[in-house]
């Protein structure tokens, strides 16, 4: 009887270890088509702030957006916009010194915190 109980506990441990994974991404098909991809991303600098606008075909399943700024070193700075109806964001925290550049992308997220596909990037070069 103890042998059988030990085997059951060992089997439960294997199942638990198999079910708990360190995977950080879901299989592609899981979220395929659930969140629309933002388009027409446009970024500009006005009055010391970066202004970003975008379009999206549908608000279906959208809880909000992430606006990502990748600088010339490759570091990405993200901002969360917690409004599914938002089509613009202004950021006053990023450096807007002349000559700096950013790749700007936008992507949607849903109520469970899953992300949709990223938009095509817009390149912003800060002018004097």
């Amino acid at each position: 009887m103890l042998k059988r109980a030990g085997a059951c506990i060992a089997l439960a441990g294997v199942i638990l270890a198999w079910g708990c994974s360190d995977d950080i991404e879901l299989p592609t098909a899981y979220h395929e088509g659930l969140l629309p991809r933002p388009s027409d991303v446009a970024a500009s600098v006005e009055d010391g702030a970066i202004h970003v606008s975008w379009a999206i075909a549908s608000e279906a399943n959208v809880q909000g957006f992430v606006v990502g700024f990748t600088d010339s070193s490759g570091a990405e700075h993200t901002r969360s916009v917690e409004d599914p109806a938002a089509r613009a964001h202004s950021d006053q925290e990023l450096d807007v010194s002349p000559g700096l550049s950013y790749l700007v992308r936008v992507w949607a997220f849903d109520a469970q915190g899953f992300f949709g596909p990223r938009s095509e990037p817009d390149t912003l070069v800060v002018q004097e």
Side-chain angles (χ1 to χ4, degrees):
M1 186 63 140
L2 284 176
K3 214 175 203 185
R4 184 177 287 177
C8 287
I9 291 172
L11 180 61
V14 168
I15 291 172
L16 183 61
W18 180 65
C20 297
S21 170
D22 289 336
D23 291 345
I24 56 171
E25 292 185 40
L26 292 173
T28 304
Y30 184 82
H31 258 320
E32 193 172 296
L34 292 182
L35 290 168
R37 182 180 190 178
S39 62
D40 303 322
V41 174
S44 63
V45 176
E46 297 172 30
D47 301 324
I50 297 177
H51 301 280
V52 181
S53 63
W54 62 90
I56 195 159
S58 167
E59 291 179 18
N61 300 318
V62 175
Q63 186 72 25
F65 298 92
V66 176
V67 181
F69 304 89
T70 304
D71 63 26
S72 58
S73 74
E76 185 174 51
H77 312 273
T78 58
R79 307 295 188 256
S80 181
V81 179
E82 308 277 331
D83 179 2
R87 298 298 179 269
H89 171 73
S90 293
D91 191 284
Q92 297 179 335
E93 295 179 24
L94 291 170
D95 188 358
V96 291
S97 299
L100 290 178
S101 63
Y102 296 95
L103 286 179
V104 182
R105 293 181 180 93
V106 178
W107 57 98
F109 62 86
D110 67 13
Q112 288 78 37
F114 292 112
F115 300 116
R118 292 178 178 223
S119 68
E120 289 294 320
D122 183 38
T123 302
L124 172 66
V125 178
V126 180
Q127 305 293 320
E128 290 189 39

